[in-house]
């Protein structure tokens, strides 16, 4: 593996990005078989002679490839690298990391297997011939990062030659999301599409596609003016390529300043600073401004708010309200298209996608979604006209509308499935907590909490603290001796002044911490000098005091000490929340399923009442992470068979929850396979779980720990945790020797604080 740590020409973020793409395995994609390959029989079915049977079927009817191969769930992400992410023409191979990234998004958000293909040809004829030669191997093609105007010709010609969806996301993805936002902006302002005076600044692929889609939805072409780098696109202007020429209007106006006066809607897909405050002032009442240039919009929202508080604003950035993000569109429009084996993606399907997104934003936002973003109550209004990218409802709301539009417009090979059954199958494809860390990150970026890293001399902790702060997740403080921490930072190639360092012995707060701790422990056998020594030398105690006394919002530790030692240190300083219980929860994330498993830290052999408390704490944590909790009390026994003393503790916990009248599903005692079996009602029709359990309460710490470590070691799940909940302040404890990514994840959870995230 390449070692980037000594490269002085790279920033810390650059090194982190290169490490991310190179370690532990180069790239972001891998192939995984869908059939067992464990026996000779498996081999004979998968290859010769068994493979000959579907070969003959497909030869007789090519459409059966959807039935016997992975074509129906496979998309090719194709580029020639002539317009990479705003970096320009860097060549086909340079575009590969971007295309891999796009493929990962297809899988993450819509469970579509996408593969990147980099084509060296920049000549449209050669490019089209190349892609047309292999295109039908896939269920659809996503074109990406191809320069304008060639991209228009390439897409159109491939659509004509291939019998599968061909979709240039740089054009249509932005157009669909912008159209959804505009529909809702009109809803809020009482304006109608047909009456809007629209100005587009930026006449690239995305800009023209936005205007064309809006016009197909009802915006009057005669009330639309396009402005490019050379000014207004007017009839008679020389040098206009054919697609741009179709937007030319008869007007004497020549500048953006002139055409924006009195406009209802201003759409920017150009460059930072192009839209000036005076332009915004001159617009019509309740102006709609979509400034979508990245990374810096044409005008910042705070500037617009200052000069026109009546404006509705959207940008392309996640740190401002109303992000126009393509990931809201392309995974779901392809999901719907693939599921009805569509021959193309037409205007009807794009409009259906935009309308479905607009409708979803107007619906009541579940508490779990709002809690996952940590933004309080999310409600349709000027700052919420577009759904958030990690809203788990997208997968079940958008594709059915796209699929129905494909069927109704005659481009589907098969009928759309029953809507409710289809929605349920879609929801199972992409588990809403599979992106737990992304949603946590989206929440904490806006809040910028301060997290103390207790073991601040350890190189892995220093790297994690720098990554946490450099990613904009919050402020990091190292507890360490300055000389050792800075020496290690130099060794890691990090700027010495990039992180704040607190030396416990020399801190200005040392006296206050010792006073607090002595008052707390003086009747528990501790002398004042004992307490002072702990504050001076025990970094966990000192860091916990920082959190307790308000110098930090959260804490992460555990990398260099065993968990039980760390927890003993923390309990010297901090208590459980009033009436609560400290619980350790592991999140085990696998394809299509996320399980919360506990207790993995605190109560070794919990009694029935303790198990009930653990279940309540875990159910609340599940909700804060966007899950609807379905709790199973696990045992070797299922509903009394075989009987035993330990099984009675689990069934006793169920009876206690019955008495308490909790507001979540729970059941037990039951074996793990029963709890996770979607058809367990066939054997146990009385079960109160409507779907498989996602919160597993274990009978003891050792069983919880063994279960999650087995899942992780076997590669069956990615395990995040233990997530510590129930303390009065936010603390997360990493496992001994944790990796940098694990430490960053736990620091994010400390900033998010699952014990007290708003519901």
């Amino acid at each position: 593996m390449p070692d980037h740590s000594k490269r002085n020409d790279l920033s810390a973020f650059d090194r982190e990005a290169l490490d991310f793409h190179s370690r532990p395995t180069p790239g972001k994609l891998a192939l995984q078989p869908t059939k067992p390959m464990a026996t000779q029989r498996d081999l004979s079915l998968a290859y010769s002679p068994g493979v000959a049977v579907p070969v003959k079927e497909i030869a007789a009817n090519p459409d059966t490839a959807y039935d016997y191969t992975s074509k129906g769930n496979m998309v090719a992400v194709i580029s020639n690298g002539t317009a990479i992410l705003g970096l320009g023409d860097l060549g086909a191979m340079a575009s590969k990391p971007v295309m891999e990234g796009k493929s990962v998004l297809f899988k993450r958000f819509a469970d579509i297997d996408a593969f990147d293909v980099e084509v060296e040809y920049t000549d449209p004829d050669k490019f089209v011939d190349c892609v047309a030669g292999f295109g039908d191997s896939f269920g659809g093609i996503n074109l990406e990062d191809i320069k304008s105007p060639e991209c228009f010709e390439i897409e159109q010609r491939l659509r004509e030659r291939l019998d599968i969806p061909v979709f240039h996301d740089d054009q249509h993805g932005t157009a669909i999301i912008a159209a959804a936002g505009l529909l809702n902006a009109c809803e809020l302002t009482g304006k109608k599409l047909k009456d809007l005076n629209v100005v587009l600044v930026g006449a690239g692929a995305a800009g023209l596609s936005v205007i064309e889609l809006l016009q197909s939805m009802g915006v009057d072409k005669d009330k639309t003016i396009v402005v490019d780098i050379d000014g207004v696109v007017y009839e008679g202007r020389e040098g206009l390529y054919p697609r741009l020429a179709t937007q030319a209007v008869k007007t004497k106006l020549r500048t953006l300043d002139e055409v924006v006066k009195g406009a209802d809607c201003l759409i920017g897909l150009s460059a930072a600073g192009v839209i000036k405050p005076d332009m915004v002032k001159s617009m019509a009442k309740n102006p709609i401004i979509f400034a979508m240039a990245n990374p810096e919009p044409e005008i910042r929202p705070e500037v617009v708010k200052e000069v026109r508080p009546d404006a509705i604003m959207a940008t392309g950035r996640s740190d401002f309200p109303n992000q126009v993000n393509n990931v809201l569109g392309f995974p779901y429009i392809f999901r719907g298209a693939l599921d009805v084996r569509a021959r193309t993606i037409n205007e009807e399907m794009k409009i259906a996608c935009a309308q479905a997104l607009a409708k979803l934003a107007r619906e009541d936002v579940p508490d779990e979604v709002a809690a996952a973003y940590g933004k309080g109550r999310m409600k349709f209004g000027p700052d919420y006209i577009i759904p958030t990218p990690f809203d788990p409802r997208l997968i079940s709301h958008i594709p059915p509308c796209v699929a129905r539009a494909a069927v109704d417009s005659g481009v589907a090979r098969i009928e759309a499935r029953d809507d409710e059954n289809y929605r349920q199958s879609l929801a199972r494809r992409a588990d809403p907590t599979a992106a737990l860390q992304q949603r946590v990150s989206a929440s904490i970026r806006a809040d910028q909490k301060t997290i103390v890293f207790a073991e601040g001399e350890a190189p892995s902790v220093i790297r994690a603290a720098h990554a946490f702060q450099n990613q904009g997740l919050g402020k990091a403080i190292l507890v360490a001796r300055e000389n050792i921490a800075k020496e290690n930072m130099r060794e890691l190639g990090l700027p010495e002044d990039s992180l704040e360092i607190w030396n416990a012995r020399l801190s200005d707060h040392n006296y206050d911490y010792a006073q607090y701790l002595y008052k707390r422990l003086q009747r528990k056998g501790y002398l004042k000098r004992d307490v002072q020594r702990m504050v001076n030398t025990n970094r966990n105690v000192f860091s916990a005091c920082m959190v307790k006394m308000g110098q930090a919002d959260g804490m992460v530790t555990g990398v260099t000490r065993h968990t039980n030692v760390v927890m003993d240190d923390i309990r010297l300083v901090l208590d459980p929340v009033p009436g609560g219980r400290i619980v350790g929860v592991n999140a085990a994330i696998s394809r299509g399923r996320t399980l919360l498993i506990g207790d993995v830290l605190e109560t070794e052999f919990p009694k029935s009442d303790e198990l009930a408390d653990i279940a309540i704490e875990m159910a609340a944590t599940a909700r804060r992470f966007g899950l609807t909790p379905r709790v199973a009390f696990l045992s070797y026994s299922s509903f009394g068979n075989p009987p035993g003393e330990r099984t009675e503790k689990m069934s006793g916990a169920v009876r206690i929850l019955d008495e308490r009248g909790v507001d979540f599903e729970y059941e037990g005692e039951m074996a793990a396979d029963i709890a996770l079996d979607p058809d367990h009602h066939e054997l146990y029709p009385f079960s109160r779980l409507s779907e498989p359990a996602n919160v597993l309460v274990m009978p003891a710490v050792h069983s919880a720990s063994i279960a999650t470590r087995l899942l992780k070691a076997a590669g069956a799940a990615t395990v995040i945790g233990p997530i510590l909940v129930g303390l009065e302040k936010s603390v997360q404890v990493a496992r001994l020797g944790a990796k940098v990514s694990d430490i960053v994840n736990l620091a994010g959870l400390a900033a998010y604080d699952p014990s007290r995230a708003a519901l």
Side-chain angles (χ1 to χ4, degrees):
M1 291 293 171
D3 182 5
H4 314 294
S5 61
K6 308 298 183 183
R7 290 264 308 266
N8 294 327
D9 59 324
L10 296 174
S11 69
F13 179 81
D14 292 344
R15 281 191 286 269
E16 185 182 354
L18 291 176
D19 282 343
F20 177 86
H21 283 81
S22 63
R23 303 171 189 270
T25 302
K28 301 188 284 283
L29 291 174
L31 186 67
Q32 183 174 346
T34 63
K35 302 294 188 295
M37 299 295 291
T39 67
Q40 182 63 39
R41 182 68 173 172
D42 294 337
L43 291 176
S44 66
L45 289 169
Y47 200 56
S48 182
V51 74
V53 182
V55 166
K56 294 175 182 177
E57 291 291 319
I58 295 170
N61 180 5
D63 276 356
T64 59
Y66 287 97
D67 300 310
Y68 301 120
T69 75
S70 57
K71 172 175 178 169
N73 196 52
M74 190 178 293
V75 167
V77 182
I78 303 177
S79 180
N80 60 9
T82 52
I84 303 174
L85 279 181
L87 298 173
D89 185 352
L90 299 180
M93 191 52 62
S95 73
K96 189 172 181 66
V98 183
M99 300 309 110
E100 278 192 358
K102 193 64 172 283
S103 301
V104 169
L105 295 180
F106 268 109
K107 188 65 177 178
R108 159 62 189 90
F109 287 99
D111 194 26
I112 292 171
D113 296 318
F115 299 92
D116 61 295
V117 180
E118 289 71 42
V119 176
E120 292 287 344
Y121 299 125
T122 58
D123 175 77
D125 291 335
K126 293 181 178 178
F127 186 96
V128 169
D129 286 342
C130 175
V131 175
F134 65 76
D136 273 325
S137 296
F138 296 87
I141 288 176
N142 186 103
L143 299 173
E144 192 83 11
D145 289 357
I146 301 171
K147 70 177 181 178
S148 175
E150 288 92 332
C151 61
F152 305 130
E153 177 187 352
I154 287 171
E155 183 192 40
Q156 183 57 40
R157 289 172 59 185
L158 284 173
R159 287 173 59 131
E160 293 169 356
R161 292 183 60 173
L162 293 172
D163 199 29
I164 57 173
V166 178
F167 186 83
H168 184 209
D169 187 50
D170 295 327
Q171 296 181 57
H172 308 300
T174 302
I176 289 167
I177 316 309
L182 187 59
L183 286 172
N184 280 339
C186 288
E187 177 78 13
L188 290 169
T189 59
K191 299 180 179 183
K192 296 181 179 179
L193 288 180
K194 66 182 181 63
D195 298 326
L196 290 181
N197 290 300
V198 180
V199 175
L200 167 69
V201 53
L208 289 179
S209 293
V210 169
I211 286 298
E212 290 168 352
L213 183 60
L214 293 178
Q215 289 169 349
S216 68
M217 295 172 67
V219 169
D220 190 338
K221 187 172 181 179
D222 293 334
K223 294 182 179 180
T224 303
I225 296 181
V226 176
V227 182
D228 67 3
I229 194 170
D230 296 316
V232 173
V233 177
Y234 59 90
E235 287 185 2
R237 199 181 106 177
E238 295 182 356
L240 300 178
Y241 58 87
R243 189 168 179 183
L244 182 56
T246 63
Q247 295 297 329
V249 294
K250 187 177 293 185
T251 179
K252 294 182 180 179
L253 304 178
R254 294 294 182 265
T255 68
L256 179 59
D257 295 74
E258 293 173 324
V259 300
V260 81
K261 290 178 182 177
D264 297 292
C265 178
L266 178 54
I267 297 172
L269 282 155
S270 53
V274 168
I275 300 174
K276 308 299 183 186
D278 286 343
M279 297 179 188
V280 175
K281 285 182 183 179
S282 71
M283 293 181 68
K285 183 181 179 181
N286 298 321
I288 301 165
I289 302 167
F290 286 12
M292 297 180 284
N294 263 321
E296 188 65 22
E298 287 83 355
I299 186 169
R300 292 180 67 87
E302 63 267 25
V303 176
V304 171
K305 188 172 183 179
E306 183 178 343
V307 298
R308 289 301 297 267
D310 61 333
I312 293 179
M313 178 86 182
T315 72
R317 286 175 47 152
S318 61
D319 52 347
F320 296 137
N322 300 325
Q323 183 191 16
V324 178
N325 189 328
N326 285 18
V327 81
L328 289 165
F330 70 83
Y332 309 113
I333 198 167
F334 266 101
R335 180 75 273 157
L338 291 173
D339 288 342
V340 292
R341 303 179 184 178
R343 300 180 185 277
T344 187
I345 292 175
N346 55 24
E347 289 296 293
E348 290 87 347
M349 295 162 71
K350 289 185 280 184
I351 291 171
C353 185
Q355 291 173 336
L357 284 167
K359 181 181 178 183
L360 182 60
R362 294 194 292 269
E363 292 186 6
D364 183 55
V365 180
D367 289 338
E368 291 83 359
V369 176
Y373 276 84
K375 295 181 179 178
R377 188 67 183 162
M378 295 169 114
K379 185 179 180 181
F380 178 57
D383 289 337
Y384 183 73
I385 60 173
I386 303 170
T388 51
F390 294 109
D391 188 329
R393 298 173 299 168
L394 288 162
I395 183 67
S396 59
H397 277 62
I398 311 306
C401 299
V402 174
R404 173 52 56 194
V407 172
D408 291 345
S409 61
V411 298
R413 288 180 172 86
I414 61 175
E415 269 289 331
R417 290 178 250 174
D418 176 79
D419 282 349
E420 189 52 39
N421 289 338
Y422 182 35
R423 288 180 190 278
Q424 290 179 7
S425 71
L426 289 168
R428 289 192 293 270
R429 277 187 174 273
D431 184 56
T433 59
L436 180 149
Q437 287 300 324
Q438 293 107 310
R439 296 215 307 278
V440 167
S441 297
S443 170
I444 66 178
R445 277 194 173 94
D447 218 2
Q448 292 295 292
K449 297 286 184 68
T450 297
I451 301 301
V452 56
F453 291 74
E455 302 149 305
E457 294 176 4
S460 61
V461 174
I462 293 172
R463 288 178 59 202
H466 189 274
F468 176 81
Q469 186 166 286
N470 200 47
Q471 291 171 25
L473 300 176
K475 179 182 177 181
I477 296 178
L478 301 177
V479 173
R481 290 165 290 182
E482 292 92 334
N483 60 326
I484 296 178
K486 289 185 176 181
E487 181 181 348
N488 286 338
M489 291 168 76
R490 286 193 296 271
E491 286 292 316
L492 294 169
L494 301 175
E496 292 180 24
D497 59 352
S498 60
L499 294 169
E500 187 173 335
I501 302 171
W502 284 32
N503 186 317
R505 186 182 295 275
L506 303 178
S507 169
D508 293 339
H509 298 281
N510 183 290
Y511 175 79
D512 293 336
Y513 294 171
Q515 289 294 104
Y516 161 74
L517 199 57
Y518 181 56
K519 184 176 180 180
R520 177 179 169 83
L521 300 178
Q522 60 190 358
R523 295 183 181 275
K524 297 182 180 180
Y526 288 85
L527 300 175
K528 194 167 187 177
R529 62 174 176 267
D530 299 328
V531 170
Q532 186 65 65
R533 187 183 305 111
M534 283 193 296
V535 172
N536 288 348
T537 62
N538 188 318
R539 289 172 190 156
N540 287 326
V541 169
F542 182 84
S543 299
C545 286
M546 288 179 65
V547 179
K548 175 66 178 181
M549 305 294 280
Q551 279 75 50
D553 299 298
M555 165 186 170
V556 62
T557 185
V559 180
T560 64
R561 296 285 188 276
H562 285 291
T563 300
N564 62 316
V565 175
V566 172
M567 290 302 301
D568 288 343
D569 292 340
I570 292 168
R571 278 190 292 258
L572 291 171
V573 183
L574 301 172
D575 293 318
V577 294
R581 176 177 295 278
I582 300 173
V583 179
V585 181
N586 278 334
I589 302 172
S590 59
R591 180 71 251 159
R593 172 177 283 169
T594 293
L595 302 174
L596 299 187
I597 302 172
D599 174 10
V600 297
L601 281 181
E602 279 290 297
T603 312
E604 186 173 2
F605 291 105
K607 300 174 184 176
S608 292
D609 60 334
E610 293 171 322
L611 288 164
D613 290 342
I614 290 168
I616 291 171
E617 194 68 54
M618 291 180 67
T621 300
R623 283 194 170 118
R624 290 165 187 135
F625 287 141
L627 268 172
T628 299
R630 294 183 294 277
V631 177
F633 291 91
L634 295 192
S635 174
Y636 63 87
S637 168
S638 292
F639 305 112
N641 187 26
E645 180 185 351
R646 294 193 177 181
T647 66
E648 176 59 28
K649 289 196 306 182
M650 307 307 282
S651 57
V654 173
R655 290 192 295 271
I656 291 172
L657 291 186
D658 289 342
E659 295 170 1
R660 295 185 185 180
V662 296
D663 62 346
F664 56 84
E665 293 181 14
Y666 57 93
E667 190 56 278
E669 88 284 5
M670 57 202 308
D673 56 338
I674 301 298
L676 301 178
D677 182 0
D679 299 320
H680 76 277
H681 285 94
E682 293 180 8
L683 280 176
Y684 306 101
F686 54 83
S687 172
R688 289 175 285 194
L689 296 183
S690 61
E691 294 182 45
N694 51 25
V695 177
L696 307 181
V697 179
M698 296 291 194
V701 162
H702 65 267
S703 55
S705 179
I706 290 169
T708 49
R709 293 189 184 215
L710 275 174
L711 285 171
K712 185 175 183 179
T718 298
V719 176
I720 298 174
I723 303 166
L724 189 61
V725 297
L727 267 178
E728 61 174 312
K729 297 291 182 180
S730 184
V731 177
Q732 294 301 329
V733 180
R735 293 200 181 278
L736 185 67
K739 297 178 182 179
V740 172
S741 59
D742 295 330
I743 304 169
V744 174
N745 286 342
L746 287 176
L749 289 169
Y752 181 71
D753 191 2
S755 291
R756 282 163 292 282
L759 286 175

